[in-house]
Amino acid sequence: MHDEQLIERLFRDAREDIADDGFSRGVMKRIEMLRRARRWVLGTAAVAGATIATPPLVHVVFDAGFNAVLPHIGAPVVDVVAMCATALALWFFCVSVES
Amino acid sequence: MTALPPDADLIARVVAGDDPRAFERLVMQYQSPVRGFLRQLTSDPAAADDLAQETFLKAFQRLAQFRGDAKLSTWLIAIAYNEFRQSQRRTAHQLKITGALRQEPDLHTIEPSSEIHDLPKLLGWLEEDERVVMVLSYAYEFSHREIALVTGLPVGTVKSKVTRAKQRILERLRATETHDA
């Protein structure tokens, strides 16, 4: 038998037809998990970003007139509240990235 | 059974994200060649399926980068080969850590007559890249250019590796025949 034919015969059956047997469903399940994680990350990042932007905005509002109505609250209290919200959002962000 | 839409149509739907079933159809269409290819390389169906799953996850994440200058099957096999090489590197690293030595096949411990028609054993005598080019060339009928795309080797190197691997297989088969006679 010619060498080339011998090699071809050897490899002829190597390309087996493999039944799906739930493989594609398994892949899709993992993709769905991936999508969910990505949604979490993007959503939490958006919240974190918004919260980081909050203190300066609050300052603007506070300085613009809120101070005149409720002067006893004070800027430091507003800052603390805003920073707590930021920290909470960042914590959510970290948790979702970890999962 | 309904005919599947062409690849380009399915890819466009996956990238647009407007058809959640489109990627599943692509997986169904290409799972057999990808899993089969990895089974030839690993000789372990379970490990091959794990790598195939990673392959399709990577493909899903990178599908928007698929430019269509090669067939989708070639692109998927290239990702699969990359996954296989990464897993090989991880295994080698783990073996290095544990101090285990890789067991090379011993000429005297394998019964030569058992090798006729036993492709996995014959492939075991080849270097990893020779094995890949032979499987792609003969089992999957990839052109040398397509094999070059998958392996990242120049076309000339692919040709010489195919020739060398063929010689090694034929030498092995002749040694088997001599032993049997």
Side-chain angles (χ1 to χ4, degrees):
Chain A
M1 188 186 283
H2 192 273
D3 287 349
E4 190 65 24
Q5 286 174 316
L6 183 63
I7 298 278
E8 280 172 9
R9 197 192 62 173
L10 268 170
F11 281 86
R12 196 169 45 207
D13 300 325
R15 189 176 178 164
E16 51 182 328
D17 202 14
I18 302 170
D20 190 299
D21 57 21
F23 176 83
S24 57
R25 215 174 305 134
V27 171
M28 294 315 291
K29 224 177 255 179
R30 283 195 63 187
I31 285 174
E32 190 46 48
M33 282 165 66
L34 205 72
R35 276 182 177 150
R36 212 172 294 156
R38 194 181 294 168
R39 271 198 295 268
W40 255 97
V41 170
L42 289 176
T44 318
V47 170
T51 316
I52 288 166
T54 305
L57 289 173
V58 168
H59 266 296
V60 170
V61 174
F62 192 80
D63 291 341
F66 191 60
N67 199 14
V69 185
L70 291 167
H72 59 281
I73 291 178
V77 176
V78 178
D79 273 354
V80 166
V81 171
M83 292 312 289
C84 283
T86 307
L88 195 66
L90 283 172
W91 179 78
F92 266 116
F93 177 74
C94 292
V95 166
S96 63
V97 168
E98 276 299 303
S99 63
Chain B
M1 190 179 164
T2 54
L4 290 168
D7 289 350
D9 184 25
L10 287 172
I11 292 166
R13 286 193 219 172
V14 176
V15 173
D18 54 6
D19 182 0
R21 300 266 307 163
F23 191 73
E24 190 173 4
R25 286 183 198 176
L26 284 175
V27 178
M28 285 161 78
Q29 207 166 321
Y30 289 102
Q31 58 86 25
S32 179
V34 170
R35 291 165 79 194
F37 170 66
L38 288 165
R39 283 182 188 192
Q40 291 294 336
L41 297 189
T42 59
S43 305
D44 176 358
D49 282 1
D50 286 346
L51 290 175
Q53 212 172 66
E54 291 303 321
T55 298
F56 282 107
L57 282 179
K58 291 264 162 69
F60 177 75
Q61 288 168 321
R62 297 179 194 165
L63 203 58
Q65 296 165 26
F66 177 68
R67 294 188 306 269
D69 44 6
K71 283 188 280 185
L72 185 64
S73 57
T74 309
W75 188 70
L76 287 169
I77 291 286
I79 298 175
Y81 180 52
N82 206 32
E83 285 299 313
F84 168 72
R85 291 185 72 183
Q86 279 180 12
S87 81
Q88 291 289 96
R89 277 198 286 269
R90 278 194 297 270
T91 310
H93 183 65
Q94 280 164 2
L95 286 175
K96 209 171 158 187
I97 289 169
T98 54
L101 292 169
R102 185 174 169 239
Q103 295 292 308
E104 295 291 342
D106 184 352
L107 266 169
H108 305 288
T109 56
I110 296 174
E111 182 60 42
S113 60
S114 67
E115 286 183 12
I116 296 180
H117 307 303
D118 195 344
L119 190 61
K121 270 189 184 164
L122 280 169
L123 288 175
W125 287 97
L126 302 178
E127 298 292 330
E128 185 200 296
D129 44 6
E130 290 174 342
R131 216 181 317 156
V132 173
V133 296
M134 286 303 279
V135 168
L136 289 177
S137 181
Y138 284 93
Y140 289 86
E141 293 168 352
F142 273 37
S143 67
H144 289 156
R145 192 187 146 272
E146 287 173 321
I147 298 172
L149 279 173
V150 168
T151 57
L153 296 168
V155 177
T157 310
V158 170
K159 284 180 188 170
S160 62
K161 281 192 184 294
V162 169
T163 309
R164 171 98 184 101
K166 269 198 291 195
Q167 276 171 358
R168 292 183 73 175
I169 288 177
L170 289 169
E171 275 166 21
R172 191 70 206 154
L173 287 172
R174 282 186 195 121
T176 305
E177 281 166 12
T178 311
H179 181 273
D180 287 347

